[in-house]
Amino acid sequence: MKLIVNGEAHEIDAATLAELLAALDYEGNWLATAVNSDVVHTAERAQFKLSDGDRIEILAPMQGG
Amino acid sequence: MLDLYGTKLPSRLLLGTAQYPSPAILADAVNASRTSVVTVSLRREMAGGRGGEKFWSLIQSLRLRVLPNTAGCHSVKEAVTTAKMAREVFGTNWIKLEVIGNHDTLQPDVFGLVEAARILCEDGFAVFPYTTDDLVVAERLLAAGCRVLMPWCAPIGSALGPVNATALRSMRGHFPDIPLIVDAGLGRPSHAALVMELGFDAVLLNTAVAKAADPIGMARAFGKAVDAGREAYRSGLLEPRDVAVPSTPTIGRAVFQ
C-alpha cells in the first residue's frame, strides 16, 4: 500500500495507523497524528483503518515563538 | 495580576522557546525572565526520532504554563487541525492562533484568522489570536469568541519595535477591559517598556532574547522592562508639554542685583 508519511512516499503494509507507527519506529505519548488533514486521536489509532494514498502527518513538540 | 481566560499569572512577559543557542541556555533564559508562560510548536517528527521527546521533557521540567502555536499555517484548515493536534499533545486548550497571509512580512491573514478563531472557540479552545492593530478585525475576533487579543507591533523577528504607537494606543482605548498582548516585533527592552506604558497587559517575544549575544542577560532585562513599564502605567505618566516648566520652586529664590 502506498502512503504519504510526513510528505514522503512509503510502500508499506499497515492496516491501521497504530501499525504504521510501529512499523516506522514511532513511539511515545508526545506524538500527534492526522490522516488526510483530520486529527486522529491517540485512542483511535489502533482502530483507524488506512487506505491506499492516505496522507499521514506525525508531529511532535518543537521550539516555537 | 494578569488574568488570561481565568488563569491568573504573576508575570506579564510571555516568552518563546525557539532559536536559543542550546537547551540549557533556553532554560536559564526562561528562568531569568521570570515568565509564567512559554510558547511551543509542533513539527514533523522523523521516523525513530526522539527530538520531540527531549524538548517536551525540558519544557515540562520548567513547570510553566504552555501556549502552543499554529506557526507556519497559511490556511484555516491547517491552523484548525494543528490546534487540535496541539491540544492533544500539550494537554491544554490554549492556542496561539496564527494564520499567515504574507510570506515577506508574516502578516496575519485576518480573514482566515477570524474564521479559524470562530471554529476553535466553538470547539472549546481559549484562542490567543496573533492579529494586526486593526480595530475592526479586533471586534470580529471578539465576536468570534476570543477574550484576549495579540496585535503585532512590527513584523515577526524584525526587532523594529512599535512602528505605530498611535494605533496601539487607540486599541487600548477602544478595548479597556480586554487583555491586550503585544506579540511580535519587539527588539529592545525599551520597546517592551513603551508598550507597557501605553497600558498593554503583557508582551510576547522570542527572537530579541534568543538571538541576543547573552540571551540570559537579555531575558532578565526584558523582565525588568516589562515590570517598569507596567508600574509606570499604573502610576500615571506625565503628559508631554511644549513649554518648559521649572521643577525647582521659583518662590523664595534669592535676587542678586
Side-chain angles (χ1 to χ4, degrees), chain B residues 41-77:
Chain B
S41 194
L42 282 177
R43 284 292 180 271
R44 285 172 169 173
E45 181 72 289
M46 290 192 309
R50 297 288 181 272
E53 178 191 18
K54 286 178 185 166
F55 174 69
W56 187 217
S57 296
L58 172 69
I59 295 301
Q60 286 178 307
S61 73
L62 298 173
R63 299 187 177 281
L64 297 171
R65 189 95 197 183
V66 170
L67 176 60
N69 69 26
T70 64
C73 293
H74 286 74
S75 72
V76 172
K77 177 68 176 171

Side-chain angles (χ1 to χ4, degrees), chain A residues 2-23:
Chain A
K2 187 179 176 185
L3 299 170
I4 310 296
V5 182
N6 281 352
E8 290 185 8
H10 288 260
E11 191 63 43
I12 193 163
D13 285 323
T16 66
L17 182 55
E19 285 182 21
L20 174 72
L21 291 173

Side-chain angles (χ1 to χ4, degrees), chain A:
Chain A
M1 184 161 59
K2 187 179 176 185
L3 299 170
I4 310 296
V5 182
N6 281 352
E8 290 185 8
H10 288 260
E11 191 63 43
I12 193 163
D13 285 323
T16 66
L17 182 55
E19 285 182 21
L20 174 72
L21 291 173
L24 293 179
D25 196 24
Y26 281 102
E27 60 178 52
N29 58 4
W30 58 88
L31 297 173
T33 52
V35 177
N36 300 328
S37 300
D38 288 320
V39 180
V40 179
H41 298 291
T42 309
E44 300 166 353
R45 288 176 193 156
Q47 287 79 43
F48 193 96
K49 299 263 190 298
L50 294 176
S51 304
D52 193 53
D54 276 349
R55 305 182 71 86
I56 296 109
E57 291 288 332
I58 304 167
L59 307 185
M62 196 62 68
Q63 296 86 346

Side-chain angles (χ1 to χ4, degrees), chain B residues 2-25:
Chain B
L2 181 62
D3 186 336
L4 302 176
Y5 286 102
T7 298
K8 296 201 165 35
L9 300 161
S11 171
R12 293 176 178 274
L13 171 60
L14 293 78
L15 194 61
T17 57
Q19 305 183 82
Y20 291 81
S22 72
I25 292 176

